[in-house]
Amino acid sequence: MTEQVRAGHLRGIVMRAPKMTATKEFYVDSWGLTIAAEEDGAVYLAATGAEPFVYGLTDGKDFGIEYIHMGMPDRAGIDALHAQVVAKGAHVPMAPCDLDGPFGGYGFEVLDPDFRRLRFSCDLRMRPSEPRFAYPRKVTHCVLNTPDMEATEAWYADVLGFRISDYSANEMVFLRSASDMETSDHHCIALVRAPYASINHVAFEMAGIDDYMRGIGRMRQKGLTVTWGPGRHGPGDNPFAYFVSPSGFVIEFTSEVLQIDEETHEAQVWPRDVPEKMDQWMTAGPPTPAQRAVMMGRPDAGFPPRKAAE
């Protein structure tokens, strides 16, 4: 029996909204990213880690995800994963090829059940890592709203080799991808049961708890208040502080994400009716109705599938 190919690490995400590129100053001056490249209608932002960019801003007519960006170790991994998703009958709008754009690389794209594009790449032009106190070093996870959580969860597991780390009652599932290390981040994708597909939030990881708190402080000095937090989640064991971007997308500072031992970890169901299981510090309380509404996001129709690429 052929061993399943597992999707690699999360590189970042590219978002789409009207006049999205006009918000770049917020991400540079307040959030703490740097401009890695600019094109007509697109800005690519880097953190302090080695990824060439972690967050993209693209101008569009609607609000949503342009693509989720994930990495594979090499071209052989790209080709093997592509063969697997084609064999599983997934929609593949772009077969493996040399990638256009400022960062080079080799990769392909696939659509998930909600017609979100996922791009897998390797051989990008990486950056020198430049640790800087209290500034984001990577995107650690993307949380996606979906109208069929079970089917979407099954697709990510069967087609892309994601593994289940935990559940939040029957409302949320946390999924992890492959890692080159013996441990993996608790989740890089999470799914939330919702009436329609949309982005819930994107989390940026700080190097440590002091960096995380100082990042919150920097935002407050800029007049930008936390909309939920600070607190510490049960699933993932990570601190959280949520903000709303100028385009209305929810973004999060986090740190100290639980590392999963692939040999010993067993998924559990975390209750949502026990406050200290939702927020271990008991500092944030539950999200307000306004916070829940903004995390529901705007409906994202995604990219209707074309004929699958061979």
Side-chain angles (χ1 to χ4, degrees):
M1 186 175 181
T2 304
E3 184 176 357
Q4 185 184 40
V5 182
R6 294 186 64 195
H9 69 286
L10 178 66
R11 292 189 184 276
I13 189 169
V14 178
M15 301 300 300
R16 179 184 69 255
K19 299 181 180 179
M20 184 73 166
T21 57
T23 68
K24 66 182 180 181
E25 286 79 9
F26 164 82
Y27 292 99
V28 174
D29 297 339
S30 300
W31 200 245
L33 303 178
T34 58
I35 295 176
E38 293 189 71
E39 297 178 327
D40 185 28
V43 176
Y44 301 94
L45 301 161
T48 65
E51 289 294 338
F53 77 97
V54 299
Y55 201 71
L57 315 175
T58 57
D59 295 328
K61 295 180 179 179
D62 60 352
F63 294 81
I65 297 171
E66 190 69 10
Y67 64 86
I68 297 170
H69 192 198
M70 301 198 68
M72 294 296 287
D74 51 37
R75 294 187 175 220
I78 289 284
D79 292 341
L81 183 61
H82 172 259
Q84 176 172 286
V85 302
V86 169
K88 295 287 187 179
H91 297 294
V92 184
M94 186 178 82
C97 64
D98 291 326
L99 300 173
D100 293 330
F103 309 108
Y106 176 79
F108 75 97
E109 293 179 352
V110 62
L111 302 184
D112 80 357
D114 292 319
F115 304 130
R116 283 179 271 250
R117 291 197 303 191
L118 289 89
R119 175 175 293 188
F120 292 88
S121 68
C122 68
D123 294 347
L124 300 183
R125 288 188 285 273
M126 305 297 282
R127 296 164 53 88
S129 180
E130 299 178 352
R132 187 179 177 192
F133 178 66
Y135 283 76
R137 64 179 181 181
K138 71 174 187 176
V139 165
T140 187
H141 60 262
C142 305
V143 177
L144 311 174
N145 298 320
T146 178
D148 192 339
M149 192 178 81
E150 286 78 11
T152 307
E153 170 194 333
W155 186 90
Y156 274 86
D158 182 49
V159 176
L160 297 179
F162 279 75
R163 295 179 180 173
I164 298 163
S165 292
D166 282 312
Y167 292 93
S168 179
N170 67 344
E171 297 299 318
M172 191 171 183
V173 59
F174 300 87
L175 304 170
R176 67 186 186 276
S177 60
S179 170
D180 294 333
M181 301 176 291
E182 292 181 357
T183 61
S184 303
D185 284 348
H186 178 268
H187 59 289
C188 69
I189 297 286
L191 305 173
V192 178
R193 192 184 306 281
Y196 50 78
S198 61
I199 183 71
N200 186 287
H201 71 271
V202 177
F204 294 76
E205 184 179 280
M206 298 293 206
I209 196 70
D210 287 340
D211 300 75
Y212 156 83
M213 290 300 297
R214 184 63 184 86
I216 297 171
R218 180 178 68 251
M219 294 290 283
R220 285 179 170 168
Q221 289 176 335
K222 299 284 187 178
L224 303 164
T225 59
V226 180
T227 58
W228 185 29
R232 192 173 195 117
H233 289 308
D237 196 32
N238 52 303
F240 63 87
Y242 295 86
F243 297 82
V244 179
S245 78
S247 296
F249 296 121
V250 179
I251 48 179
E252 175 191 5
F253 280 149
T254 191
S255 186
E256 300 182 347
V257 178
L258 178 68
Q259 296 300 293
I260 297 295
D261 185 324
E262 294 288 346
E263 297 297 323
T264 62
H265 181 75
E266 294 184 8
Q268 63 173 301
V269 179
W270 290 76
R272 295 174 73 92
D273 56 353
V274 180
E276 63 189 285
K277 295 292 186 179
M278 296 296 291
D279 175 12
Q280 298 181 72
W281 289 343
M282 295 290 285
T283 53
T288 64
Q291 181 68 28
R292 292 186 186 279
V294 74
M295 293 175 85
M296 185 64 66
R298 305 168 179 89
D300 184 357
F303 296 82
R306 302 187 297 272
K307 183 179 179 181
E310 300 297 333

